[in-house]
Amino acid sequence: MSLEEAIKIIQVHERARQGCLRAKFMREIRAQEEREKMLSLQGASTMDPDVASTIIQKVWKGYSQRNKTLKLREEELIFIGMHLTLTLRLTTKILLSAKSTRERRNVC
């Protein structure tokens, strides 16, 4: 057997070995996907109660912190005089409508 024939035989066997490994790997991936699909079809009962409670706590803490931050921001704006309170908003709206009415009367 020549050197070239020996190299070809080795290459063929190596490619076959790699092909078998790749096929085995793909079978494992498909089996894993199938297991995940079956678990997802069973429903939410598969979630660990500790994980579920942690998720609920995270959501609630985020919600409450956003509300606290909004209140603090409004209080700070009121303190430094940059926040329009409800009465100021209404007064401003009334004044703007009166001004526009005055302008319409002067134009005609």
Side-chain angles (χ1 to χ4, degrees):
M1 177 182 322
S2 70
L3 183 61
E4 289 178 10
E5 290 174 347
I7 291 173
K8 284 183 184 179
I9 291 173
I10 291 173
Q11 286 178 341
V12 168
H13 285 284
E14 179 61 21
R15 286 184 187 139
R17 185 188 71 81
Q18 289 177 1
C20 288
L21 286 176
R22 184 175 290 125
K24 180 180 175 186
F25 181 68
M26 293 305 291
R27 273 194 302 270
E28 290 174 1
I29 289 175
R30 281 192 210 107
Q32 177 67 27
E33 288 174 352
E34 206 168 302
R35 280 192 298 271
E36 290 173 0
K37 186 177 179 182
M38 293 300 288
L39 287 175
S40 68
L41 291 177
Q42 287 180 353
S45 63
T46 60
M47 183 177 278
D48 184 27
D50 291 334
V51 174
S53 65
T54 303
I55 291 172
I56 292 170
Q57 287 174 1
K58 284 180 183 179
V59 171
W60 173 251
K61 286 179 181 179
Y63 171 78
S64 65
Q65 186 59 46
R66 282 190 298 276
N67 285 340
K68 286 178 186 177
T69 304
L70 255 171
K71 285 182 183 179
L72 287 174
R73 185 180 302 146
E74 286 182 12
E75 289 174 3
E76 184 178 354
L77 288 174
I78 290 170
F79 178 73
I80 62 176
M82 291 182 62
H83 188 264
L84 293 177
T85 59
L86 184 59
T87 56
L88 280 176
R89 289 182 193 162
L90 290 174
T91 306
T92 306
K93 193 181 257 187
I94 292 170
L95 289 175
L96 286 174
S97 68
K99 182 179 177 183
S100 67
T101 304
R102 225 179 295 126
E103 289 174 355
R104 274 189 277 134
R105 287 180 183 165
N106 288 338
V107 172
C108 294

